[in-house]
Amino acid sequence: LASLQHIMKIERRYQTRTSTNENSGLFHTAKLEMFSEDRYATSSYRCATVRVAGFPGGLHFQVKEVKKKMAIPESKEIYEFMYSLFKKVQLSSECSVVCLIYVERLMERANVPLMAKTWRPIVLCGLLLASKVWQDLSSWNIEFATVYPQFSLDCINALEATFLSEVKWDLYISSSAYAKYYFALRSLLEKKDFRNRYNQMVKVEAPDASRIQQRSGQVKEEALLQLSRSV
């Protein structure tokens, strides 16, 4: 629900952008297109027959690309998109917390907007990285391509590289940061008296907070090593 509200807010701001702010902040066109679903999803085509006078046989086959209209998703659509992956790849619930941290890190550090045309690639890659950090048996990119066939393996690989580059390869999550997000999400389940409940809960350590700090630190070092070897 929080993601849906954010998408709606950014979409409204984007619709009212002006020439002075269309290339700044969250409305930078290059950042928007960098994570656009059109860039990573496999194109669909429609074949139609057209009668053409003077053409042998009188018929001409015409292939047109089907342009998908990116509408603001409903909360159910976001849930089903994520649930199918959690079920088929067997992700743990902690991956949702790690994914949220990485998505917000991308938005804050790289000024990438979460919008109707970007939320699927961003969430997909956030979950992919979360799996590699958290899971003892992390998911392979090919598994994500199987769950989401509209995204080919090559496109997922390219998306992952772009995501990592934009967050400066920083996958490290401190135990305090994990605890902050963990208790904030937990508090949202009980909206009544949210602030008081949140303040009381952050005084204790979130489950597995120390573990995520250690694992994310190791993954960050491995990612940087891989980057240095490729340079």
Side-chain angles (χ1 to χ4, degrees):
L1 182 57
S3 297
L4 175 59
Q5 292 173 342
H6 177 84
I7 293 173
M8 294 175 65
K9 181 174 70 174
I10 297 300
E11 287 284 353
R12 286 195 297 267
R13 289 184 179 180
Y14 187 74
Q15 295 300 326
T16 58
R17 72 193 187 283
T18 63
S19 58
T20 58
N21 65 12
E22 65 178 356
N23 288 315
S24 62
L26 290 178
F27 304 115
H28 199 297
T29 303
K31 297 292 185 178
L32 178 64
E33 295 304 322
M34 186 180 293
F35 286 89
S36 173
E37 186 171 342
D38 291 333
R39 183 175 180 177
Y40 299 100
T42 304
S43 300
S44 299
Y45 296 90
R46 179 176 61 242
C47 183
T49 56
V50 181
R51 291 190 176 276
V52 181
F55 190 83
L59 293 177
H60 173 66
F61 288 96
Q62 188 177 53
V63 178
K64 288 186 177 181
E65 184 178 355
V66 179
K67 294 292 185 180
K68 182 178 179 180
K69 185 177 180 181
M70 302 298 178
I72 296 176
E74 297 181 355
S75 56
K76 180 180 179 181
E77 183 178 358
I78 298 175
Y79 168 79
E80 291 178 346
F81 181 82
M82 298 182 67
Y83 177 76
S84 60
L85 183 65
F86 272 80
K87 183 178 180 180
K88 295 178 180 179
V89 185
Q90 297 183 340
L91 297 181
S92 63
S93 57
E94 290 83 3
C95 286
S96 60
V97 182
V98 178
C99 172
L100 176 59
I101 295 174
Y102 288 154
V103 169
E104 290 205 348
R105 186 171 295 178
L106 178 72
M107 294 165 57
E108 293 172 359
R109 297 187 182 181
N111 294 325
V112 177
L114 192 65
M115 299 176 62
K117 65 188 301 183
T118 63
W119 74 268
R120 286 188 184 87
I122 291 176
V123 171
L124 183 154
C125 198
L127 288 172
L128 175 62
L129 294 175
S131 166
K132 293 182 177 182
V133 167
W134 180 257
Q135 303 280 102
D136 291 324
L137 295 175
S138 61
S139 302
W140 294 83
N141 292 22
I142 187 63
E143 294 182 81
F144 278 63
T146 302
V147 178
Y148 303 123
Q150 67 270 38
F151 297 100
S152 68
L153 176 60
D154 288 340
C155 286
I156 290 180
N157 291 341
L159 174 61
E160 182 183 20
T162 301
F163 195 112
L164 287 170
S165 176
E166 289 301 305
V167 298
K168 310 301 182 185
W169 296 78
D170 184 10
L171 300 179
Y172 177 74
I173 301 174
S174 66
S175 58
S176 59
Y178 180 84
K180 173 185 174 182
Y181 280 85
Y182 172 84
F183 288 119
L185 290 173
R186 181 176 168 183
S187 298
L188 285 175
L189 296 176
E190 303 178 23
K191 294 182 180 180
K192 185 179 179 181
D193 201 20
F194 165 78
R195 180 53 57 187
N196 288 334
R197 291 178 181 274
Y198 173 74
N199 289 336
Q200 292 174 5
M201 285 190 293
V202 294
K203 295 177 182 179
V204 298
E205 184 177 358
D208 298 311
S210 299
R211 182 185 174 196
I212 191 65
Q213 175 175 294
Q214 180 182 6
R215 292 179 69 95
S216 62
Q218 293 172 347
V219 172
K220 179 182 178 180
E221 291 178 0
E222 292 172 0
L224 290 174
L225 179 61
Q226 180 180 357
L227 176 63
S228 64
R229 289 174 176 174
S230 62
V231 174

